[in-house]
Each structure stands twice: as structure tokens, then as C-alpha cells.
Amino acid sequence: MSSTTEIDEVRDAGRPGETRPSRPAPRNEPPARSRKGWRLRLRQDRTLLIMCVPAVGLLAVFAYLPMLGNVIAWQDYSPYVGIANSQFVGWANFERVFTNPLFLDAVVNTLTITAFQLVFFFPVPIMLALFVNGLMTPWLRNVIQSVVYLPHFFSWVLVVTIFQQILGGAGLLNQELGKLGLGGFDMMTNPDTFLLLVTSQAVWKDAGWGMIIFLAALSTVNPEHYEAAALDGAGRWRRMWHVTLPAIRPTIILLLILRLGDSLTVGFEQLILQRGAVGAEVAEVIDTYVYYQGVVNGDWAFAAAAGLVKGLVSLLLVLGANKLAHLFGEAGVYKKA
Amino acid sequence: MSTASILAVALLAGCGSAGAGTGGPEEGDGTLPNYVPLTFAEPDVPGINGAPDGYTQLPAEFERQFPEAPGSGGTYTAMTPLWGAVPKTDGNQYLESVNEAMGTTIDFQITDGTTYGDKLAAVLADQSNIPDWVSIPTWNFPPRFGQAVGTLFEDLTPFLAGDAVAAYPNLANIPTDAWRSCSWNGKVYGIPFPAAAGQRNAAFYRSDLLPDAELPTTAEEMLEFVEENHADGHWGSNDLWIFATAMFGVPSKWKVVDGELVHRVETQEYRDALQWMADLYATGAVHPDAVADNAADGKQRFESGDVVITADGVGAWHEALSKMRPADPEWDMAALPYFAAAGGDPVLYKSDAASMCSYLKATDDDAQIEELLDAANFLAAPFGTEENMTITNGVEGVHYELDQNNAPVKTDLGRTEVQPTFMFLVAPPEIVADPEKPDYVEARVKWQNETTLHEVEEPFYGMRVTEPNQFASLDQPFADLEKDIARGRKNMEDLDSAIETWRTSGGEELRTLYQEILDGEADEIADESAEVDE
């Protein structure tokens, strides 16, 4: 590490943004120089790299290695003879996926639920965070914060049971209506209001939890900005509009992109628990369909093909949304170096 | 050769990706264990036509069948379902006492019965983790099981066929039909949990809450019966689909009409049963939680009196009485006699002769299989033996005390620890015995005897046919449709459309396949195929 060239490289690595007009790098870097830089960077970052090894190892074993199992999407797979002995059938499973009306119905239901929740669920944690952040009494803020995020720790079985006990045909509300001589209703079995029901459940369970991230983002806003805005005559709403919202905009966009990536995953447990109550026509989503087809009916290959299609569409949605974010000048999920 | 014939060749040749068994072996062909009945106690309420015998009291003396523990000290894992509170297995004195008496230790993996099928599918898919002994209810056979059974589980034919079963006299005491129900591809793989003749499902009503009830004798009266009893804070009923199918004589799979196979969903009986269910739900008398498809709490709703009529497996009768009577001696329930929808004698299709079959994991170690068969022989000890008493009730003074009528009354520990665990691996021929509840024994045997008078066999009774995998999901739309039509979300036009879809997406091929099996052509095709292969 005593040569002048290596010292220059250390300096380059330490200041990656700087240009060196006196010695501009040629378009096609000489291979020897590039390899040296790579080795040097490895040496420099060895501590960090060693720290990353366990995480990378875990990812490789538990995330990437199992992906090889997706090969069954191209097989007439039977778990009893294994991947090695199952016959390859080309794209037949994918053809079945795209021509199966029940799968297409499940896709439509999934997209409907996700679109509805994007409009009526996604903004709720933001509004909740703005509300809680605006409270001046610390103990009240803490109490509200604790109360609204606790339902996140309830299982879906419990959440659905609570809703059933309150809003079901034999639930508390109907019992009280009955005592008053008013006609009852059963929201839990009504396919027409199912979208509203699952969204309400999601809001009740997870809006408080979602609020925490936005509260964290709000805590980074410099109070001097508020003071300056107030001195300029900005009222409460103006300060929210011109200071608070711009401060949390990157977080909102980041979460929106991540939400889009999950848009084809609308909650397996929540939906399968209520599928029988309202019928498959409105409650069958991609995940429940894959479960019935793969696990219950033993058509694992078809289910794998359907799952792959879902994964691919989700990936495209994330990449598309990220690109869109960059076009609007936002950071998005990641940026190319 | 027709498309279906080609399909059948592929299936039956056994070299394709999906195998199909054409049914179990026949009695007398030397494959099934020879039936050698054993009797240790005479029944006081005899069953007829193969229905279970009833015992309202215990024998004065029990015979000790095994002077010494038959096992050689091995330890094996077993997976069984349980409908109820799963007991702890570590430090469970009941399990320990039976294991000790048997000389073989069975470590149980007990799973909730309502989700057992789902867990089975996952467990069997991972061949490295299959327990040594697996219980599989006949309604929970995983898809492609006929293809898998020979790979995953031991062929017990060499150990049990014909006279070989004489080495295990308690297994020889199990009726032949039950063994046939546990046979695949012409070989015996499973050990039965036998079910006596007579229907396995019933509609029950709370006879203590409706002491003067005039029982219905037609479908119309049944509707009124439910509606009238939706009163005084009680809901009329839970879901009654399984009763409706029996009332209208809906076959479970196929029916032969003029020599042709008609699938259950195509029958008028199925259509009528669906319409009746829609009418039932329309009365508003069905409990809202049942409308919300919550079947898991159905027993609790019935036991608490929240609903007064329910449909359940016949085993629920004893289960509910045992649970409710200690706290409320007046608590009672009764099974409705079956009737045809229009009145008169019903057409009842025979149930499987085995409710469950248990399978031994495939191994090269014959000693292991022999030890497990010895254990099975011990566990199948018939009523009237000391061993049966221990397996049924646990240890006297620990799990039960005998009352003044010489009836075993469970202790608190007995109620917690003594659950159907060993029983779901193998059991002796079904009987109904409960000295504590002689009224139940009489009512149950009488009801079950009555049902045997109207039982008929379906065309593929006792046969295990493994369907090609691409047809596995053909029935799923109907499972959904049955719920949708009952709840008024869909109608008969949707049924017509679903039937048409079923026919065009594989139903007709399936019909042809079954027709050929029925006609005996399948075996010929398989032989031809074997010749071609040679």
C-alpha cells in the first residue's frame, strides 16, 4: 500500500463524488486497475462484510434456496415422488392458470380489495399520526398511541371473532336492536358490504401500528421550521400543509411503493376465515385460491405457477412505482448508485 | 380406443404420473386377513345387520388377555386427530400406563381434528418427517394418496393376509369390510378403526328442552320443526346439510341409473336437497354463526342450548352427554329417526366400514413392523378384557372410580388425560358401552339398528379409486355452491351452469373412467397395457 497509485485509490474511495479533471478515468477501465480497486474495497470493508455474512447466509438458505423449488411450476409435480422424478410439462400449468376463470375471478377480487384499501386504509395511519402528533398533552398522546396500536398484536381469528360477536346476526348490536324492537342486520354474511367489512377490520387492527412509522418521521421535523412558519403568519393548517406533509412525503411514498408490491397479498388468514360466510365470489383472492388448489386439492404445480405469476406482477409493480417516484424526484425504495 | 380409455390405460398401468387403484381386494382371494370373531362379553342390547352391540353394564369380571407386555421396548411416533382439548403428552399418566402395559412406547403428535387433513397433506409431502404410525380418517385422504401409499407406507399384506393374521387374534377379530376399506391397489396397507353398520351422521335435537316435540316425518315437517323451535331465546338449528342429503337420498359420489353412472351433482336428489336448504335458511331460524359458516362452534351452540337442532357425527352423542351430564343430570339429546323427504322409508347409503385407517411408515426393518403390529393387536383388545378397560378408561383410582353400579366414573385427571388417542390408531369392532348412561346405549343402538334397515351400497362401496390429479378440484365449486345456494347468494341456474362446467372440464372423462371400472373393463385395459409394456 505504499505506491502512489494505491494512495490515489484510497482517496478516490473515500471521496466517491469528487471528479479528478487532471486525470479523467477512461470510458473503458483497464481490467488490472479495476481488479485492484475491487480488492482494496474488500479489504477496507472487511469488517462490515463479515458482519453481513450471517444475514446473507440466512437469506441464501431460507429465501433464495427455496426459490429453486419453483421449478415445480413447470412439472406435473407430486410430493410423493419428488422434484427429481416428477415429469416436466413445459408451460402447461401457466396456460391453465391464465385460462382458469376461477383464478381470474380471484385476481379481480384481489385487485378490488387492494384498490379499495389503498384509498380507504392507506391514508388512515397518516391522519392518525398527524392527529396524535398534534396533541400537546404527552400522557394523552401516549395513551392514545398505545390503545390504537395494541390490536395489531391480536390474531386474525380473534379480530374476526370480535367482529362476529359485535356485528354478527347474533352479536351484541343485533341483540340491542332486538330489545328496542328494531330489525336486525348481519354485516358478517353480507357479500355487498364485504369490502367495507374487511377494510374496517384492517383499519381497526393495523392503522395504529402503521401510524408509528409516520410518527417517527414526524419526530425528525425541525421545530424551528414550525417557529419560522408561525412567525411568517402561517396558521395550524398552513404549517401542516407546508411543513409537516413535505417532511413525511418521502416516507409516504416509500410505504406506498412497498404497499404496491404487496398489492396482490391482501391477507390470507383474514379472508379464509370469512370466505364461507360471504361466499367465494367476493372473498376468493389469489392466496386463498392457491391454498385450495395447492394444499387442499393437491395440485401443487398449478399453485406454484399461480404463485409465480403473482410474484412477478408484484415485482413489476414495485419497480414501476419506484421508477415513477424517481421521475417525480423522490428517493423511492432505492436508487442506482 | 376412446379418450377415456387411453386415460384409463395411463392411470392403470401404474407408470404414469398419477396412479388409480381399482378398488380393494375381495374376501376369499387370500389378500385380506381372515375374520375370526372373538367374544368376551354378551351384549344386552344387540345390534342387528352389523350395527354395534350395546352394553349397559360392565362384565362382572374382565379377562386378562396379555399376561405379559407384548412389545419389545421400542419407541415410535404416532400422529392422530382429536376433536376436543388436546391433552399434554409429557407426563400423561394415561399414555404412560398404556405404553407400559403394551411394552412399546408410542409418542403422540395430536392435532386438532378439524384441520387434520390440511396438516396431513403437509406432513406426507415431507417424507423425511413422517411419523412411524399415522392415522388417516377416511374423509381426509390427501390427493394422490393412492399413488403415495406404496412409497410412504408399509405393505402389511405379507404380515396379515389370510391366515397370517392369526398371529394377531385381536386384529383377526376386525370385520373383513373394514380391512377392505384400508386396502389400496389390491394390498392391505392400513389398520382399521372399524365402524359398525348403520349411519354415521344424524340430526339431533335437545330432547330435554323439547320434551313434547312432535317429531317430523317429511322434509316439509322438518322445516316446520326447525322454524317452530326458533323461539324462547333458542335458535332453530345449526347447518343441516348432512341431514338434508340423507333425507333426500343424495349419493356421496355416483348413482347408477339405467346402467349409466350419474354423478351426485347431476341428480334430482341433490337439487332437491339444495332447494330445501335454501328454504331452511330463508326461515331465518338457522343460527347466525352457522350462517357465517362457523361450524367449529356448532357443538358448543347445541350443548349450551343456543340452538336446539343440529346435525353431527353420531360420535357427538356420547361426547356431548359425557361433557354435559356431570354438571346437569337432566341434560339430554336424541337422534331424529331418518325418513324420506316425501315421507316413508329413506334411502340411506352405507358408510365406510372403517372410519379411519392407520398406516405404518415404510421400513426395511421387519422387526419394527412386527412390534407395531403387536402393539396394534394389544390396542384392539375387545370389550370385556382388562386391556380394553385400561385403554378406554385409564387406571382405576387414578383416572376413574367405580360407582355403586360398577360403572367407571372419570376423575378430574381422567377427564383431562383420557382422550381418544390409541383408539384412533386401531380399535376393536365398534360397540356402544356405557354403564353410566344406559338410556344412551339403548337409544343409540336402537337408532342405529333402525338405519341399517334402509341402507344400500353405492356402486363403488368398499373401493378406493384414486382419481387423476387434474380432476382433484372438480368438486370444489360445488362445495362453495352448496353454501351459496343455502344462504340465498346463488340459485339453481348457477347450479346448472356449474354442472355444465363440471362436465366439460373433466367430469365426462371421470364418468367414463368410473364406468369402465364398474363394467370391469379397467382391469382388461390394464392387462392389455401390461402386455404392450412387455
Side-chain angles (χ1 to χ4, degrees):
Chain A
M1 180 121 170
S2 58
S3 75
T4 314
T5 317
E6 286 187 353
I7 290 168
D8 285 348
E9 282 171 356
V10 171
R11 200 160 50 223
D12 286 348
R15 294 178 294 178
E18 279 191 28
T19 51
R20 292 169 58 80
S22 58
R23 201 176 64 183
R27 269 183 177 277
N28 298 316
E29 288 276 348
R33 180 184 163 83
S34 168
R35 196 161 50 241
K36 269 188 177 177
W38 179 73
R39 283 179 184 158
L40 186 69
R41 282 201 298 274
L42 270 186
R43 262 206 305 278
Q44 276 186 321
D45 296 338
R46 62 180 177 277
T47 312
L48 284 173
L49 288 171
I50 290 168
M51 284 170 66
C52 287
V53 166
V56 171
L58 281 172
L59 267 179
V61 173
F62 293 109
Y64 283 89
L65 205 61
M67 280 188 203
L68 297 176
N70 280 322
V71 71
I72 67 170
W74 288 272
Q75 290 186 320
D76 176 21
Y77 173 73
S78 164
Y80 308 122
V81 298
I83 291 176
N85 297 315
S86 293
Q87 193 186 353
F88 277 88
V89 293
W91 295 94
N93 291 320
F94 291 91
E95 283 171 25
R96 284 169 61 206
V97 166
F98 286 115
T99 55
N100 188 317
L102 295 177
F103 176 74
L104 298 177
D105 287 347
V107 171
V108 170
N109 283 340
T110 309
L111 292 175
T112 307
I113 292 173
T114 211
F116 192 83
Q117 293 197 347
L118 204 62
V119 176
F120 292 100
F121 173 64
F122 186 77
V124 177
I126 300 169
M127 290 191 282
L128 210 52
L130 292 174
F131 166 70
V132 170
N133 193 55
L135 289 172
M136 299 306 287
T137 319
W139 69 266
L140 184 61
R141 193 163 54 212
N142 287 339
V143 167
I144 292 178
Q145 195 174 325
S146 302
V147 167
V148 296
Y149 82 63
L150 272 180
H152 171 76
F153 297 100
F154 295 170
S155 70
W156 273 114
V157 176
L158 190 60
V159 172
V160 172
T161 305
I162 290 170
F163 270 72
Q164 178 72 32
Q165 294 298 322
I166 295 172
L167 299 176
L172 281 174
L173 197 59
N174 270 306
Q175 286 176 24
E176 293 306 318
L177 287 173
K179 283 177 195 166
L180 296 172
L182 300 170
F185 71 99
D186 189 352
M187 192 175 174
M188 300 299 289
T189 57
N190 189 346
D192 299 331
T193 54
F194 184 62
L195 262 180
L196 198 61
L197 177 73
V198 288
T199 307
S200 312
Q201 290 167 343
V203 167
W204 185 77
K205 188 176 188 295
D206 283 329
W209 183 253
M211 169 192 77
I212 292 173
I213 293 175
F214 295 107
L215 278 179
L218 285 172
S219 69
T220 63
V221 182
N222 190 342
E224 287 175 4
H225 293 170
Y226 289 111
E227 288 163 15
L231 282 176
D232 289 344
R236 189 180 179 83
W237 292 106
R238 282 277 173 196
R239 290 203 296 270
M240 180 187 286
W241 188 254
H242 291 291
V243 180
T244 311
L245 283 177
I248 62 172
R249 193 173 63 190
T251 310
I252 294 174
I253 289 175
L254 173 73
L255 291 180
L256 194 60
I257 293 170
L258 292 177
R259 179 78 192 90
L260 278 176
D262 269 348
S263 58
L264 298 185
T265 306
V266 289
F268 170 78
E269 208 179 345
Q270 181 193 11
L271 288 159
I272 207 162
L273 284 167
Q274 300 178 92
R275 184 178 177 278
V278 292
E281 196 161 84
V282 293
E284 188 85 291
V285 293
I286 297 174
D287 285 342
T288 56
Y289 182 78
V290 166
Y291 165 74
Y292 279 106
Q293 201 73 21
V295 178
V296 177
N297 295 325
D299 201 349
W300 305 84
F302 180 93
L308 268 180
V309 169
K310 180 189 150 186
L312 190 68
V313 173
S314 296
L315 178 69
L316 291 175
L317 281 172
V318 169
L319 293 177
N322 197 48
K323 184 76 185 168
L324 214 59
H326 292 169
L327 288 176
F328 283 99
E330 295 294 340
V333 180
Y334 66 91
K335 259 185 177 169
K336 281 182 186 170
Chain B
M1 191 180 275
S2 67
T3 310
S5 302
I6 295 166
L7 178 67
V9 170
L11 297 169
L12 298 170
C15 54
S17 59
T22 55
E26 291 301 317
E27 190 170 0
D29 70 0
T31 308
L32 294 172
N34 287 343
Y35 177 50
V36 186
L38 284 173
T39 305
F40 288 87
E42 290 300 327
D44 41 15
V45 190
I48 60 166
N49 301 327
D53 287 329
Y55 297 83
T56 58
Q57 53 193 352
L58 296 182
E61 285 187 12
F62 292 98
E63 191 168 321
R64 190 175 176 84
Q65 229 194 348
F66 295 86
E68 289 179 5
S72 46
T75 298
Y76 304 95
T77 51
M79 179 178 162
T80 54
L82 181 69
W83 289 265
V86 175
K88 62 168 186 169
T89 49
D90 284 341
N92 183 314
Q93 294 181 60
Y94 164 69
L95 299 179
E96 285 170 2
S97 63
V98 177
N99 281 336
E100 192 181 332
M102 196 159 58
T104 298
T105 300
I106 304 293
D107 281 338
F108 278 95
Q109 299 165 10
I110 303 169
T111 298
D112 175 29
T114 51
T115 56
Y116 193 70
D118 300 344
K119 176 151 188 212
L120 257 181
V123 168
L124 297 187
D126 179 10
Q127 296 181 26
S128 59
N129 280 320
I130 295 175
D132 299 312
W133 202 347
V134 182
S135 171
I136 304 184
T138 46
W139 60 93
N140 274 148
F141 285 125
R144 301 186 188 232
F145 188 72
Q147 180 191 20
V149 70
T151 314
L152 306 181
F153 297 112
E154 189 71 20
D155 172 14
L156 301 177
T157 319
F159 300 89
L160 300 173
D163 288 336
V165 78
Y168 310 100
N170 290 339
L171 297 183
N173 180 40
I174 295 173
T176 307
D177 266 354
W179 287 105
R180 187 182 290 121
S181 287
C182 300
S183 300
W184 295 85
N185 308 321
K187 295 172 180 173
V188 176
Y189 282 98
I191 307 170
F193 170 70
Q199 291 294 289
R200 314 305 308 165
N201 295 311
F204 296 103
Y205 71 101
R206 285 288 300 276
S207 47
D208 56 335
L209 298 176
L210 312 172
D212 304 319
E214 192 175 329
L215 300 184
T217 56
T218 65
E220 192 59 37
E221 287 177 15
M222 182 68 184
L223 214 54
E224 290 163 10
F225 184 60
V226 175
E227 201 171 1
E228 282 165 8
N229 288 304
H230 175 206
D232 306 327
H234 307 300
W235 290 88
S237 75
N238 277 324
D239 187 272
L240 296 178
W241 175 237
I242 53 177
F243 184 75
T245 55
M247 193 165 59
F248 284 92
V250 181
S252 67
K253 186 92 181 179
W254 297 101
K255 181 183 178 186
V256 178
V257 179
D258 300 330
E260 299 291 323
L261 283 174
V262 178
H263 193 271
R264 135 196 185 96
V265 299
E266 301 172 297
T267 60
Q268 185 61 39
E269 291 89 338
Y270 181 74
R271 180 174 286 266
D272 291 343
L274 278 175
Q275 184 56 58
W276 185 85
M277 286 297 289
D279 294 343
L280 172 71
Y281 274 75
T283 63
V286 179
H287 193 285
D289 288 357
V291 179
D293 201 34
N294 176 347
D297 294 336
K299 289 177 196 292
Q300 190 272 331
R301 290 194 291 269
F302 180 68
E303 288 162 5
S304 67
D306 214 8
V307 303
V308 289
I309 301 158
T310 193
D312 208 337
V314 76
W317 200 342
H318 185 262
E319 183 188 322
L321 286 168
S322 301
K323 196 191 298 179
M324 303 307 293
R325 280 229 177 130
D328 179 5
E330 301 301 315
W331 196 97
D332 207 3
M333 63 192 275
L336 282 172
Y338 274 116
F339 48 82
D345 292 340
V347 174
L348 302 173
Y349 289 98
K350 250 186 170 177
S351 310
D352 252 311
S355 294
M356 302 182 196
C357 303
S358 66
Y359 298 81
L360 306 182
K361 188 166 78 170
T363 172
D364 294 330
D365 185 359
D366 279 0
Q368 174 176 326
I369 299 300
E370 282 162 6
E371 179 170 11
L372 287 172
L373 286 175
D374 277 332
N377 186 47
F378 179 92
L379 295 174
F383 180 73
T385 61
E386 278 186 22
E387 290 78 7
N388 180 275
M389 188 67 176
T390 306
I391 293 161
T392 311
N393 296 301
V395 180
E396 186 178 355
V398 179
H399 298 108
Y400 70 92
E401 303 284 359
L402 290 175
D403 68 6
Q404 65 275 18
N405 300 323
N406 206 32
V409 179
K410 283 205 171 83
T411 61
D412 287 344
L413 187 68
R415 273 189 285 277
T416 310
E417 289 193 341
V418 183
Q419 298 286 352
T421 43
F422 294 103
M423 181 204 290
F424 288 157
L425 292 175
V426 57
E430 186 185 11
I431 54 143
V432 183
D434 195 335
E436 246 193 308
K437 300 184 264 299
D439 58 332
Y440 154 72
V441 175
E442 286 178 17
R444 161 84 187 271
V445 176
K446 184 181 168 208
W447 178 86
Q448 207 149 343
N449 277 347
E450 180 70 23
T451 65
T452 64
L453 301 175
H454 311 295
E455 285 193 328
V456 295
E457 290 182 1
E458 286 201 49
F460 298 95
Y461 178 75
M463 295 174 79
R464 294 272 173 242
V465 179
T466 305
E467 294 173 5
N469 193 56
Q470 64 266 37
F471 301 140
S473 55
L474 269 182
D475 289 342
Q476 181 64 41
F478 293 98
D480 291 330
L481 199 61
E482 285 160 12
K483 292 175 184 173
D484 287 339
I485 289 179
R487 289 158 180 81
R489 296 193 290 256
K490 290 194 175 176
N491 55 35
M492 292 303 161
E493 286 176 10
D494 295 304
L495 173 65
D496 293 335
S497 159
I499 292 171
E500 192 49 39
T501 305
W502 175 85
R503 283 182 180 142
T504 53
S505 53
E508 289 299 344
E509 291 169 81
L510 205 58
R511 190 198 319 273
T512 311
L513 171 65
Y514 273 93
Q515 188 73 50
E516 288 173 347
I517 293 172
L518 187 70
D519 297 342
E521 289 178 22
D523 288 337
E524 291 172 24
I525 295 166
D527 291 340
E528 287 169 20
S529 171
E531 285 171 21
V532 170
D533 286 346
E534 283 167 12

